[in-house]
Amino acid sequence: MQRPKDIVQLWVDAFNAGDVEAIAALYHPDAVNHQVANDPIRGQAAIREMFIGEFAAAKMVCIVENLFEDGQWAILEWRDPLGLRGCGFFQTAGGKIIFQRGYWDKLSFLKQHGLPVE
């Protein structure tokens, strides 16, 4: 069985490659992804669609600052090349991500990428 840190490292690798299929494969079919700046996304298929839209909108890179593990959880502190910082909490079970919560500054992200401010 893979450790939570290992699963999140696979997630980071797939994210940085822009590989939506590899990212989606890491989630349980009933997973929830809640980026606190947005509404929660429920289900592997919806999470896949979310990443398709996000990668189409902006070039995103996740540089690992710290990656911790506690029980079923992995905690990722990250930055990107433009200076945005954030953290993510990943709960895993059976080798899959079952819950993810992310904290980051959406307004800064939108401005950095020249995207419309909501």
Side-chain angles (χ1 to χ4, degrees), residues 11-12 15-16 60-64 76 78-81:
W11 183 94
V12 168
F15 183 92
N16 287 340
M60 297 180 292
V61 175
C62 176
I63 301 167
V64 175
L76 170 66
W78 58 265
R79 66 180 171 86
D80 75 4

Side-chain angles (χ1 to χ4, degrees), residues 87-101:
C87 62
F89 296 80
F90 297 76
Q91 183 182 20
T92 66
K96 299 288 184 183
I97 299 165
I98 59 173
F99 181 79
Q100 178 184 355
R101 182 179 294 120

